[in-house]
Amino acid sequence: MAKETTLAIVKPDAVASKLVGEILSRIEAAGLEIAALRMERLSHARARNFYYVHRGKPFFESLVDFMTSGPVVLLALRGENAVARWRQLMGPTDPRKAPKGTIRGDLGTSIEKNAVHGSDSVENASTEVHFFFGGADLFEIDPEEVWRSGS
Ligand code: ATP
Ligand code: MG
């Protein structure tokens, strides 16, 4: 299996509910590597661009309004099969249908305010990671170098 990089977003509902630490804990406990992390308040233009595939859908304007309502935490996650593994951790879109133990099942509030975003394919992951992060923003973590260093 190939190492992949996927985009995760902690959405404004989860940031406002002080769930950033809880979500980052689940990511790290699952063995996904945090390759990049930044907080940002999305502009309307940026949110509309990011969710361009959903333009025209009945929930689009409300989604843009929600996604710009407060800061988000943007993450690039790396690991074997990272795209599918992060989707698995998140659970399905609607928290009412998401199993307990998934982030949306445990922490989501509604089909819109569902705590997290994750890229839905390897191809989209690459586009979405580059939408928010340049190559220089992505860190390669070498634990051996860390433990060999210093005293
Ligand atoms: P995401 O893209 O955020 O990871 P997803 O891939 O599970 O979620 P999409 O179908 O891509 O779901 O929808 C994008 C987002 O739009 C959802 O996460 C949710 O916030 C919102 N959304 C989707 N469907 C609805 C709906 N029927 N009503 C309101 N909001 C919706
Ligand atoms: Mg989606």
Side-chain angles (χ1 to χ4, degrees), residues 11 50-51 53-54 57 59 62-63 66-67 87 90-94 104 110-114 116-120 128:
K11 293 185 179 182
F50 181 72
Y51 279 119
V53 289
H54 295 305
K57 292 190 186 161
F59 61 82
S62 175
L63 176 63
F66 161 55
M67 289 299 290
R87 295 284 294 188
M90 291 197 311
T93 312
D94 185 349
R104 285 166 165 173
S110 69
I111 192 164
E112 178 185 75
K113 295 180 175 67
N114 57 5
V116 283
H117 162 84
S119 309
D120 60 8
E128 291 186 357

Side-chain angles (χ1 to χ4, degrees), residues 33-77:
E33 207 170 277
I34 297 173
L37 183 158
R38 187 175 77 246
M39 206 163 181
E40 184 173 316
R41 175 105 185 227
L42 301 182
S43 67
H44 270 76
R46 204 146 153 86
R48 297 182 85 85
N49 247 332
F50 181 72
Y51 279 119
Y52 188 72
V53 289
H54 295 305
R55 73 194 178 284
K57 292 190 186 161
F59 61 82
F60 181 72
E61 295 302 334
S62 175
L63 176 63
V64 169
D65 186 46
F66 161 55
M67 289 299 290
T68 58
S69 66
V72 298
V73 177
L74 305 165
L75 297 139
L77 306 179

